[in-house]
Coordinates of all heavy atoms in Angstrom, one line a residue:
M13 N 0.8 -1.2 0.0 CA 0.0 0.0 0.0 C 0.9 1.2 0.0 O 2.0 1.2 0.4 CB -0.9 0.0 1.2 CG -1.9 -1.1 1.3 SD -3.4 -1.2 0.4 CE -3.4 -0.4 -1.1
T14 N 0.3 2.3 -0.5 CA 1.1 3.5 -0.6 C 1.2 4.3 0.7 O 2.3 4.3 1.3 CB 0.5 4.4 -1.7 OG1 -0.8 4.7 -1.4 CG2 0.7 3.8 -3.0
A15 N 0.2 4.9 1.2 CA 0.2 5.7 2.4 C -1.2 5.6 3.0 O -2.2 5.5 2.4 CB 0.6 7.1 2.1
P16 N -1.2 5.7 4.4 CA -2.5 5.7 5.0 C -3.2 7.0 4.7 O -2.7 8.1 4.4 CB -2.1 5.7 6.5 CG -0.7 6.2 6.6 CD -0.1 5.9 5.3
P17 N -4.6 7.0 4.8 CA -5.4 8.2 4.7 C -4.9 9.3 5.6 O -4.5 9.0 6.8 CB -6.8 7.8 4.9 CG -6.8 6.3 4.7 CD -5.4 5.8 5.1
A18 N -5.0 10.5 5.2 CA -4.6 11.6 6.1 C -5.3 11.6 7.4 O -6.5 11.4 7.4 CB -4.8 13.0 5.4
G19 N -4.6 11.9 8.5 CA -5.2 11.9 9.8 C -5.6 10.6 10.4 O -6.4 10.5 11.4
S20 N -5.1 9.5 9.8 CA -5.4 8.1 10.3 C -4.7 7.8 11.6 O -3.7 8.4 11.9 CB -5.0 7.1 9.3 OG -5.7 7.2 8.1
S21 N -5.3 6.9 12.3 CA -4.7 6.5 13.6 C -4.6 5.0 13.5 O -5.3 4.3 12.7 CB -5.5 7.0 14.8 OG -6.8 6.5 14.7
C22 N -3.8 4.4 14.4 CA -3.6 3.0 14.5 C -5.0 2.3 14.8 O -5.7 2.7 15.6 CB -2.6 2.6 15.6 SG -2.4 0.9 15.9
A23 N -5.2 1.2 14.1 CA -6.5 0.5 14.2 C -6.6 -0.3 15.5 O -7.7 -0.6 15.9 CB -6.6 -0.5 13.0
L24 N -5.5 -0.5 16.2 CA -5.5 -1.2 17.5 C -5.5 -0.2 18.7 O -6.3 -0.3 19.6 CB -4.4 -2.2 17.6 CG -4.6 -3.4 16.7 CD1 -3.4 -4.4 16.8 CD2 -5.9 -4.2 17.0
C25 N -4.5 0.7 18.7 CA -4.3 1.5 19.9 C -4.8 3.0 19.7 O -4.9 3.7 20.6 CB -2.8 1.6 20.3 SG -1.8 2.5 19.1
A26 N -5.2 3.3 18.5 CA -5.8 4.6 18.1 C -4.9 5.8 18.3 O -5.3 6.9 18.3 CB -7.1 4.9 19.0
R27 N -3.5 5.5 18.3 CA -2.6 6.6 18.4 C -2.4 7.2 16.9 O -2.4 6.4 16.0 CB -1.2 6.2 18.9 CG -1.2 5.9 20.3 CD 0.2 5.6 20.9 NE 0.8 4.6 20.1 CZ 2.1 4.5 20.0 NH1 2.9 5.3 20.7 NH2 2.7 3.5 19.3
T28 N -2.2 8.5 16.9 CA -2.0 9.1 15.6 C -0.5 9.3 15.4 O 0.1 10.3 15.9 CB -2.7 10.5 15.5 OG1 -4.1 10.3 15.7 CG2 -2.5 11.1 14.1
V29 N 0.2 8.2 14.9 CA 1.6 8.2 14.7 C 1.9 7.7 13.3 O 0.9 7.3 12.6 CB 2.3 7.3 15.8 CG1 2.2 7.9 17.2 CG2 1.8 5.9 15.8
R30 N 3.1 7.5 13.0 CA 3.5 6.9 11.7 C 2.9 5.5 11.6 O 3.1 4.7 12.6 CB 5.0 6.9 11.5 CG 5.4 6.4 10.1 CD 6.9 6.7 9.9 NE 7.3 6.1 8.7 CZ 8.0 5.0 8.5 NH1 8.4 4.4 9.6 NH2 8.3 4.6 7.3
L31 N 2.2 5.1 10.5 CA 1.6 3.8 10.4 C 2.2 3.0 9.4 O 2.8 3.4 8.4 CB 0.1 4.1 10.1 CG -0.7 4.9 11.1 CD1 -2.1 5.1 10.5 CD2 -0.7 4.3 12.4
T32 N 2.0 1.7 9.6 CA 2.5 0.7 8.6 C 1.3 -0.2 8.2 O 0.3 -0.3 9.0 CB 3.6 -0.3 9.2 OG1 3.1 -0.9 10.3 CG2 4.8 0.5 9.6
F33 N 1.3 -0.8 7.0 CA 0.2 -1.5 6.5 C 0.4 -3.0 6.9 O 1.4 -3.6 6.6 CB 0.1 -1.4 5.0 CG -1.1 -2.1 4.4 CD1 -2.4 -1.4 4.5 CD2 -1.1 -3.3 3.8 CE1 -3.5 -2.0 4.0 CE2 -2.2 -3.9 3.2 CZ -3.4 -3.2 3.4
H34 N -0.6 -3.5 7.6 CA -0.6 -5.0 8.0 C -1.5 -5.7 7.1 O -2.8 -5.4 7.1 CB -1.0 -5.1 9.4 CG -1.3 -6.5 9.8 ND1 -0.3 -7.4 10.0 CD2 -2.4 -7.2 10.1 CE1 -0.8 -8.6 10.3 NE2 -2.1 -8.5 10.4
H35 N -1.0 -6.6 6.3 CA -1.8 -7.5 5.4 C -2.6 -8.5 6.3 O -1.9 -9.2 7.1 CB -1.0 -8.3 4.4 CG -0.5 -7.4 3.3 ND1 0.7 -6.8 3.4 CD2 -1.0 -7.1 2.1 CE1 0.9 -6.1 2.3 NE2 -0.1 -6.3 1.5
L36 N -3.9 -8.5 6.3 CA -4.6 -9.4 7.1 C -4.4 -10.9 6.7 O -4.5 -11.8 7.6 CB -6.1 -9.1 7.1 CG -6.4 -7.8 7.8 CD1 -7.9 -7.3 7.5 CD2 -6.2 -7.9 9.3
I37 N -4.1 -11.1 5.5 CA -3.6 -12.4 5.0 C -2.1 -12.2 4.7 O -1.8 -11.5 3.8 CB -4.3 -12.9 3.7 CG1 -5.8 -12.9 3.9 CG2 -3.8 -14.3 3.3 CD1 -6.4 -13.9 4.8
P38 N -1.2 -12.7 5.5 CA 0.2 -12.5 5.3 C 0.7 -12.7 3.9 O 0.2 -13.7 3.3 CB 0.9 -13.4 6.3 CG -0.1 -13.6 7.4 CD -1.5 -13.6 6.7
R39 N 1.5 -11.9 3.4 CA 1.9 -12.0 2.0 C 2.6 -13.3 1.6 O 2.4 -13.8 0.5 CB 2.9 -10.9 1.7 CG 2.2 -9.5 1.6 CD 3.1 -8.3 1.5 NE 4.0 -8.5 0.3 CZ 5.1 -7.8 0.2 NH1 5.5 -6.9 1.1 NH2 5.9 -8.0 -0.9
R40 N 3.2 -13.9 2.6 CA 3.8 -15.3 2.3 C 2.8 -16.3 2.0 O 3.1 -17.3 1.3 CB 4.6 -15.7 3.5 CG 5.4 -17.0 3.3 CD 6.3 -17.3 4.4 NE 7.4 -16.4 4.5 CZ 8.3 -16.3 5.5 NH1 8.1 -17.0 6.5 NH2 9.2 -15.4 5.5
L41 N 1.6 -16.1 2.4 CA 0.5 -17.1 2.2 C -0.3 -16.8 0.9 O -1.1 -17.6 0.5 CB -0.5 -17.1 3.4 CG 0.1 -17.4 4.7 CD1 -1.0 -17.3 5.8 CD2 0.7 -18.8 4.7
H42 N 0.0 -15.7 0.3 CA -0.8 -15.3 -0.9 C -0.6 -16.3 -2.1 O -1.6 -16.5 -2.9 CB -0.3 -13.9 -1.5 CG -0.8 -12.8 -0.6 ND1 -0.7 -11.5 -1.0 CD2 -1.3 -12.8 0.6 CE1 -1.2 -10.7 0.0 NE2 -1.5 -11.5 1.0
R43 N 0.5 -17.0 -2.2 CA 0.7 -17.9 -3.3 C 0.2 -19.4 -3.0 O 0.2 -20.2 -3.8 CB 2.1 -18.0 -3.7 CG 3.1 -18.5 -2.6 CD 4.5 -18.5 -3.1 NE 5.4 -18.7 -2.0 CZ 6.1 -17.7 -1.4 NH1 6.0 -16.5 -1.8 NH2 6.9 -18.0 -0.4
R44 N -0.3 -19.6 -1.8 CA -0.9 -20.9 -1.4 C -2.2 -21.1 -2.1 O -3.1 -20.2 -2.0 CB -1.0 -21.0 0.1 CG 0.4 -21.1 0.7 CD 0.3 -21.7 2.1 NE 1.6 -21.8 2.6 CZ 1.9 -22.8 3.5 NH1 1.0 -23.6 3.9 NH2 3.2 -22.9 3.9
P45 N -2.5 -22.2 -2.7 CA -3.7 -22.5 -3.4 C -5.0 -22.3 -2.5 O -6.0 -21.8 -3.0 CB -3.6 -23.9 -3.8 CG -2.1 -24.2 -4.0 CD -1.5 -23.3 -2.9
A46 N -5.0 -22.7 -1.3 CA -6.1 -22.6 -0.4 C -6.5 -21.1 -0.3 O -7.7 -20.8 -0.3 CB -5.9 -23.2 1.0
F47 N -5.6 -20.2 -0.1 CA -5.9 -18.8 0.0 C -6.2 -18.2 -1.3 O -7.1 -17.3 -1.4 CB -4.7 -18.1 0.6 CG -4.5 -18.4 2.1 CD1 -3.6 -19.4 2.5 CD2 -5.3 -17.8 3.1 CE1 -3.5 -19.7 3.8 CE2 -5.1 -18.1 4.4 CZ -4.3 -19.1 4.8
Q48 N -5.6 -18.6 -2.4 CA -5.9 -18.1 -3.7 C -7.4 -18.5 -4.1 O -8.1 -17.7 -4.8 CB -5.0 -18.7 -4.8 CG -3.6 -18.0 -4.7 CD -2.6 -18.6 -5.7 OE1 -2.9 -19.6 -6.3 NE2 -1.5 -18.0 -5.8
R49 N -7.8 -19.7 -3.7 CA -9.2 -20.1 -4.0 C -10.2 -19.3 -3.2 O -11.3 -18.9 -3.7 CB -9.4 -21.6 -3.7 CG -8.9 -22.5 -4.7 CD -9.3 -23.9 -4.5 NE -9.0 -24.5 -3.2 CZ -7.8 -25.1 -2.9 NH1 -6.9 -25.3 -3.9 NH2 -7.6 -25.6 -1.7
R50 N -9.9 -19.0 -2.0 CA -10.8 -18.3 -1.1 C -10.9 -16.8 -1.3 O -11.9 -16.2 -1.2 CB -10.4 -18.6 0.4 CG -11.4 -18.1 1.4 CD -11.1 -18.6 2.7 NE -12.0 -18.1 3.7 CZ -11.9 -18.2 5.0 NH1 -10.9 -18.8 5.5 NH2 -12.8 -17.7 5.8
Y51 N -9.7 -16.2 -1.7 CA -9.7 -14.7 -1.9 C -9.1 -14.4 -3.3 O -8.3 -15.1 -3.8 CB -8.7 -14.1 -0.9 CG -9.1 -14.4 0.6 CD1 -8.4 -15.4 1.2 CD2 -10.1 -13.7 1.2 CE1 -8.7 -15.7 2.6 CE2 -10.4 -14.0 2.5 CZ -9.7 -15.0 3.2 OH -10.0 -15.3 4.5
G52 N -9.6 -13.4 -3.9 CA -9.1 -13.0 -5.2 C -7.7 -12.3 -5.0 O -7.4 -11.8 -3.9
R53 N -7.0 -12.2 -6.1 CA -5.7 -11.6 -6.1 C -5.7 -10.1 -5.6 O -4.9 -9.7 -4.7 CB -5.1 -11.6 -7.5 CG -3.8 -10.9 -7.6 CD -3.2 -11.0 -9.0 NE -1.9 -11.5 -8.8 CZ -1.2 -12.3 -9.6 NH1 -1.8 -12.7 -10.7 NH2 0.0 -12.7 -9.4
E54 N -6.7 -9.4 -6.0 CA -6.8 -8.0 -5.6 C -7.2 -7.9 -4.1 O -6.7 -7.1 -3.4 CB -7.9 -7.3 -6.4 CG -8.1 -5.8 -6.2 CD -6.9 -5.0 -6.8 OE1 -6.2 -5.5 -7.6 OE2 -6.7 -3.9 -6.3
Q55 N -8.0 -8.8 -3.7 CA -8.4 -8.8 -2.3 C -7.2 -9.2 -1.4 O -7.1 -8.5 -0.3 CB -9.6 -9.8 -2.1 CG -10.2 -9.8 -0.7 CD -11.3 -10.8 -0.5 OE1 -11.5 -11.6 -1.3 NE2 -12.0 -10.6 0.6
L56 N -6.4 -10.1 -1.8 CA -5.2 -10.5 -1.0 C -4.3 -9.3 -0.9 O -3.7 -9.0 0.2 CB -4.5 -11.6 -1.6 CG -5.1 -13.0 -1.5 CD1 -4.4 -14.0 -2.4 CD2 -5.1 -13.5 0.0
A57 N -4.1 -8.5 -1.9 CA -3.2 -7.4 -1.9 C -3.7 -6.2 -1.1 O -2.9 -5.5 -0.5 CB -2.9 -7.0 -3.3
R58 N -5.0 -6.0 -1.1 CA -5.6 -4.8 -0.5 C -6.2 -5.0 0.9 O -6.5 -4.1 1.6 CB -6.6 -4.2 -1.4 CG -6.0 -3.7 -2.7 CD -7.0 -2.8 -3.4 NE -6.5 -2.4 -4.7 CZ -5.6 -1.4 -4.9 NH1 -5.1 -0.8 -3.9 NH2 -5.2 -1.1 -6.1
Q59 N -6.4 -6.3 1.3 CA -7.1 -6.5 2.5 C -6.1 -6.3 3.7 O -5.2 -7.2 3.9 CB -7.6 -8.0 2.5 CG -8.5 -8.3 3.7 CD -9.1 -9.6 3.6 OE1 -9.0 -10.3 2.6 NE2 -9.8 -10.1 4.7
G60 N -6.3 -5.3 4.4 CA -5.3 -5.0 5.5 C -5.8 -3.8 6.3 O -6.8 -3.2 6.1
V61 N -5.0 -3.5 7.3 CA -5.3 -2.4 8.2 C -4.0 -1.6 8.5 O -2.9 -2.2 8.4 CB -5.9 -2.9 9.6 CG1 -7.3 -3.5 9.4 CG2 -5.0 -3.9 10.3
W62 N -4.1 -0.4 8.9 CA -3.0 0.4 9.2 C -2.7 0.4 10.7 O -3.6 0.6 11.5 CB -3.2 1.9 8.8 CG -3.2 2.0 7.3 CD1 -4.3 2.0 6.4 CD2 -2.1 2.1 6.4 NE1 -3.9 2.1 5.1 CE2 -2.6 2.2 5.1 CE3 -0.7 2.2 6.7 CZ2 -1.7 2.3 4.0 CZ3 0.1 2.3 5.6 CH2 -0.3 2.4 4.3
L63 N -1.5 0.0 11.1 CA -1.1 -0.1 12.5 C 0.2 0.7 12.7 O 1.0 0.8 11.8 CB -0.8 -1.6 12.8 CG -1.9 -2.6 12.6 CD1 -1.4 -4.0 12.9 CD2 -3.1 -2.3 13.5
C64 N 0.3 1.1 14.0 CA 1.6 1.7 14.4 C 2.6 0.6 14.4 O 2.3 -0.6 14.5 CB 1.5 2.5 15.7 SG 1.2 1.4 17.1
R65 N 3.9 1.0 14.4 CA 5.0 0.0 14.4 C 4.9 -0.9 15.6 O 5.1 -2.1 15.6 CB 6.3 0.7 14.3 CG 7.5 -0.2 14.4 CD 7.5 -1.5 13.5 NE 7.3 -1.3 12.1 CZ 7.0 -2.3 11.3 NH1 6.8 -3.6 11.8 NH2 6.8 -2.1 10.0
S66 N 4.6 -0.3 16.8 CA 4.5 -1.1 18.0 C 3.4 -2.2 17.9 O 3.7 -3.4 18.3 CB 4.3 -0.2 19.2 OG 4.2 -0.9 20.4
C67 N 2.3 -1.8 17.5 CA 1.2 -2.8 17.4 C 1.4 -3.8 16.3 O 1.1 -5.0 16.5 CB -0.2 -2.1 17.2 SG -0.8 -1.2 18.6
H68 N 2.0 -3.4 15.2 CA 2.3 -4.3 14.1 C 3.3 -5.4 14.6 O 3.2 -6.6 14.3 CB 2.9 -3.5 12.9 CG 2.8 -4.2 11.6 ND1 2.9 -3.6 10.4 CD2 2.6 -5.5 11.3 CE1 2.8 -4.4 9.4 NE2 2.6 -5.6 9.9
D69 N 4.3 -4.9 15.3 CA 5.3 -5.9 15.8 C 4.7 -6.8 16.8 O 5.0 -8.0 16.8 CB 6.5 -5.1 16.5 CG 7.4 -4.4 15.6 OD1 7.3 -4.7 14.3 OD2 8.2 -3.6 16.0
A70 N 3.8 -6.3 17.7 CA 3.1 -7.2 18.6 C 2.3 -8.3 17.9 O 2.3 -9.4 18.4 CB 2.2 -6.3 19.6
V71 N 1.6 -7.9 16.9 CA 0.8 -8.9 16.1 C 1.7 -10.0 15.7 O 1.4 -11.2 15.9 CB 0.1 -8.2 14.9 CG1 -0.5 -9.3 14.0 CG2 -1.0 -7.3 15.4
H72 N 2.8 -9.7 15.1 CA 3.7 -10.7 14.5 C 4.5 -11.4 15.6 O 4.9 -12.6 15.4 CB 4.6 -10.1 13.4 CG 3.8 -9.8 12.2 ND1 3.4 -10.8 11.3 CD2 3.4 -8.6 11.7 CE1 2.8 -10.2 10.3 NE2 2.7 -8.9 10.5
Q73 N 4.7 -10.8 16.7 CA 5.4 -11.5 17.8 C 4.5 -12.6 18.5 O 5.1 -13.6 18.9 CB 5.8 -10.4 18.9 CG 6.5 -11.0 20.1 CD 6.7 -9.9 21.2 OE1 6.4 -8.8 21.0 NE2 7.4 -10.4 22.2
H74 N 3.3 -12.3 18.6 CA 2.4 -13.3 19.3 C 1.7 -14.3 18.4 O 1.2 -15.3 18.9 CB 1.3 -12.5 20.0 CG 1.9 -11.7 21.2 ND1 2.4 -12.2 22.3 CD2 2.0 -10.3 21.3 CE1 2.9 -11.3 23.1 NE2 2.6 -10.1 22.5
F75 N 1.7 -14.1 17.1 CA 0.9 -15.1 16.2 C 1.8 -15.4 15.0 O 2.4 -14.5 14.4 CB -0.4 -14.5 15.8 CG -1.3 -14.1 17.0 CD1 -1.4 -12.7 17.3 CD2 -2.0 -15.0 17.7 CE1 -2.2 -12.4 18.4 CE2 -2.7 -14.7 18.8 CZ -2.8 -13.3 19.1
D76 N 1.7 -16.7 14.6 CA 2.4 -17.1 13.4 C 1.6 -16.8 12.2 O 0.4 -16.4 12.3 CB 2.7 -18.6 13.5 CG 1.5 -19.5 13.5 OD1 0.9 -19.7 12.4 OD2 1.1 -19.9 14.6
E77 N 2.2 -16.8 11.0 CA 1.5 -16.4 9.8 C 0.3 -17.2 9.5 O -0.7 -16.7 9.0 CB 2.5 -16.3 8.6 CG 3.5 -15.2 8.8 CD 4.5 -15.1 7.6 OE1 4.6 -16.1 6.9 OE2 5.1 -14.1 7.5
M78 N 0.4 -18.5 9.7 CA -0.8 -19.3 9.4 C -2.0 -19.0 10.3 O -3.1 -19.0 9.8 CB -0.4 -20.8 9.5 CG -1.4 -21.7 8.8 SD -1.8 -21.4 7.1 CE -0.3 -22.1 6.3
T79 N -1.7 -18.8 11.5 CA -2.8 -18.4 12.4 C -3.4 -17.0 12.0 O -4.6 -16.9 12.0 CB -2.3 -18.3 13.9 OG1 -1.8 -19.6 14.3 CG2 -3.4 -17.9 14.8
L80 N -2.6 -16.1 11.6 CA -3.0 -14.8 11.2 C -3.9 -15.0 9.9 O -5.0 -14.4 9.8 CB -1.9 -13.9 10.9 CG -1.1 -13.4 12.1 CD1 0.1 -12.6 11.7 CD2 -2.0 -12.5 12.9
G81 N -3.5 -15.8 9.0 CA -4.2 -16.0 7.7 C -5.5 -16.7 7.9 O -6.5 -16.4 7.2
R82 N -5.5 -17.7 8.7 CA -6.7 -18.6 8.9 C -7.7 -18.1 9.9 O -8.9 -18.1 9.7 CB -6.3 -20.0 9.3 CG -5.7 -20.8 8.2 CD -5.4 -22.2 8.6 NE -4.9 -23.0 7.6 CZ -4.2 -24.1 7.7 NH1 -4.1 -24.6 8.9 NH2 -3.8 -24.8 6.7
E83 N -7.2 -17.6 11.0 CA -8.1 -17.2 12.1 C -8.2 -15.7 12.4 O -9.3 -15.2 12.8 CB -7.7 -17.9 13.4 CG -7.6 -19.4 13.3 CD -6.9 -20.1 14.4 OE1 -6.9 -19.5 15.5 OE2 -6.4 -21.2 14.3
L84 N -7.1 -15.0 12.2 CA -7.1 -13.6 12.6 C -7.0 -12.7 11.4 O -6.2 -11.8 11.3 CB -5.9 -13.3 13.6 CG -5.9 -14.2 14.8 CD1 -4.7 -13.9 15.7 CD2 -7.2 -13.9 15.6
N85 N -7.9 -13.0 10.4 CA -7.8 -12.2 9.1 C -8.8 -11.1 9.0 O -9.2 -10.7 7.9 CB -8.0 -13.2 8.0 CG -9.2 -14.1 8.1 OD1 -10.1 -13.7 8.7 ND2 -9.2 -15.2 7.4
T86 N -9.3 -10.6 10.2 CA -10.2 -9.4 10.2 C -9.7 -8.5 11.3 O -9.1 -9.0 12.3 CB -11.7 -9.8 10.4 OG1 -11.8 -10.3 11.7 CG2 -12.2 -10.7 9.3
L87 N -10.0 -7.3 11.2 CA -9.6 -6.3 12.3 C -10.4 -6.7 13.6 O -9.8 -6.7 14.7 CB -10.0 -4.9 11.9 CG -9.8 -3.9 13.0 CD1 -8.3 -3.8 13.4 CD2 -10.2 -2.5 12.5
E88 N -11.6 -7.2 13.5 CA -12.4 -7.6 14.7 C -11.7 -8.7 15.4 O -11.7 -8.8 16.6 CB -13.8 -7.9 14.3 CG -14.6 -6.7 13.8 CD -14.3 -6.3 12.3 OE1 -13.7 -7.1 11.6 OE2 -14.5 -5.1 12.0
A89 N -11.2 -9.7 14.6 CA -10.6 -10.9 15.2 C -9.3 -10.5 15.9 O -9.0 -11.0 17.0 CB -10.3 -11.9 14.1
L90 N -8.5 -9.5 15.3 CA -7.3 -9.1 16.0 C -7.7 -8.3 17.3 O -7.1 -8.6 18.3 CB -6.5 -8.1 15.1 CG -5.8 -8.8 13.9 CD1 -5.2 -7.7 13.0 CD2 -4.7 -9.7 14.4
Q91 N -8.7 -7.5 17.2 CA -9.1 -6.7 18.4 C -9.6 -7.5 19.5 O -9.6 -7.2 20.7 CB -10.1 -5.6 18.0 CG -9.5 -4.5 17.1 CD -10.6 -3.6 16.6 OE1 -11.7 -4.0 16.3 NE2 -10.2 -2.4 16.3
A92 N -10.1 -8.7 19.2 CA -10.7 -9.6 20.2 C -9.7 -10.4 21.0 O -10.0 -11.0 22.0 CB -11.7 -10.6 19.5
Q93 N -8.4 -10.4 20.5 CA -7.4 -11.2 21.2 C -6.9 -10.5 22.5 O -6.5 -9.3 22.4 CB -6.2 -11.4 20.3 CG -6.5 -12.2 19.0 CD -7.0 -13.6 19.4 OE1 -6.3 -14.3 20.2 NE2 -8.1 -13.9 18.9
P94 N -7.0 -11.1 23.6 CA -6.6 -10.5 24.9 C -5.2 -10.0 24.9 O -5.0 -8.9 25.4 CB -6.8 -11.6 25.9 CG -7.8 -12.5 25.3 CD -7.6 -12.5 23.8
V95 N -4.3 -10.7 24.3 CA -2.9 -10.2 24.3 C -2.7 -8.9 23.5 O -2.0 -8.0 23.9 CB -1.9 -11.3 23.8 CG1 -2.1 -11.6 22.3 CG2 -0.5 -11.0 24.1
L96 N -3.5 -8.8 22.5 CA -3.4 -7.5 21.7 C -4.2 -6.4 22.4 O -3.9 -5.2 22.3 CB -3.9 -7.8 20.3 CG -3.0 -8.7 19.4 CD1 -3.6 -8.8 18.0 CD2 -1.6 -8.1 19.4
Q97 N -5.3 -6.8 23.1 CA -6.0 -5.8 23.9 C -5.1 -5.2 24.9 O -5.1 -4.0 25.1 CB -7.2 -6.4 24.5 CG -8.3 -6.8 23.5 CD -9.5 -7.5 24.2 OE1 -9.4 -7.9 25.4 NE2 -10.5 -7.8 23.4
R98 N -4.3 -6.0 25.6 CA -3.4 -5.5 26.7 C -2.3 -4.7 26.0 O -2.0 -3.6 26.5 CB -2.8 -6.7 27.4 CG -3.7 -7.4 28.4 CD -3.0 -8.3 29.3 NE -2.3 -9.4 28.6 CZ -2.9 -10.5 28.2 NH1 -4.2 -10.7 28.4 NH2 -2.3 -11.5 27.6
H99 N -1.8 -5.1 24.9 CA -0.8 -4.3 24.2 C -1.3 -3.0 23.8 O -0.7 -1.9 24.0 CB -0.2 -5.1 23.0 CG 0.8 -4.2 22.2 ND1 2.1 -4.0 22.6 CD2 0.6 -3.4 21.1 CE1 2.6 -3.1 21.8 NE2 1.7 -2.8 20.9
A100 N -2.5 -3.0 23.2 CA -3.1 -1.7 22.7 C -3.4 -0.7 23.8 O -3.1 0.5 23.7 CB -4.4 -2.0 21.9
A101 N -3.8 -1.3 25.0 CA -4.0 -0.4 26.1 C -2.7 0.2 26.6 O -2.7 1.4 26.9 CB -4.7 -1.2 27.3
W102 N -1.6 -0.6 26.6 CA -0.3 -0.1 27.0 C 0.2 0.9 25.9 O 0.6 2.0 26.3 CB 0.7 -1.2 27.1 CG 2.1 -0.7 27.2 CD1 2.7 -0.4 28.4 CD2 3.0 -0.6 26.2 NE1 4.0 0.0 28.1 CE2 4.2 -0.1 26.8 CE3 3.0 -0.8 24.8 CZ2 5.3 0.2 26.0 CZ3 4.2 -0.5 24.1 CH2 5.3 0.0 24.7
A103 N 0.1 0.6 24.7 CA 0.5 1.5 23.6 C -0.2 2.8 23.6 O 0.4 3.9 23.3 CB 0.4 0.8 22.2
A104 N -1.5 2.8 23.9 CA -2.3 4.0 23.9 C -1.8 5.0 24.9 O -2.0 6.2 24.7 CB -3.8 3.7 24.1
R105 N -1.1 4.5 26.0 CA -0.6 5.4 27.0 C 0.8 6.0 26.7 O 1.3 6.8 27.4 CB -0.5 4.7 28.3 CG -1.9 4.3 28.9 CD -1.8 3.7 30.3 NE -0.9 2.6 30.4 CZ -1.3 1.3 30.3 NH1 -2.5 1.0 30.0 NH2 -0.4 0.4 30.5
Q106 N 1.4 5.5 25.6 CA 2.8 5.9 25.2 C 2.7 7.2 24.4 O 1.7 7.5 23.8 CB 3.5 4.8 24.4 CG 3.5 3.5 25.1 CD 4.1 3.5 26.5 OE1 5.2 4.0 26.7 NE2 3.3 3.0 27.5
R107 N 3.8 7.9 24.4 CA 3.9 9.1 23.6 C 4.0 8.7 22.2 O 4.5 7.7 21.8 CB 5.1 9.9 24.0 CG 5.0 10.7 25.2 CD 6.2 11.6 25.3 NE 6.1 12.3 26.5 CZ 6.9 13.2 26.9 NH1 7.9 13.6 26.2 NH2 6.7 13.8 28.1
G108 N 3.4 9.6 21.3 CA 3.5 9.4 19.9 C 5.0 9.5 19.5 O 5.7 10.3 20.1
A109 N 5.3 8.8 18.5 CA 6.7 8.9 18.0 C 6.8 9.4 16.6 O 5.9 9.3 15.8 CB 7.4 7.5 18.0

């Protein structure tokens, strides 16, 4: 993705800081037949959310790519994870970088 919309904030912690694009279906899984059958090429490339670096790192630290692709492939599913809820609450209290 190119750049987040102006004035965007992190989808998990809601901080308005520099954001990175998190593919809800990890890019490494895009070439797997099961994911290609389920999602179109365009959908695989564009389906994602904007996260701050801290939250993006937390997502990948706590979950492997297959779990992200199969189970945590929506923003709502990510937000429902207790470990990410705790991280987001902590991150929201940090200063913007």
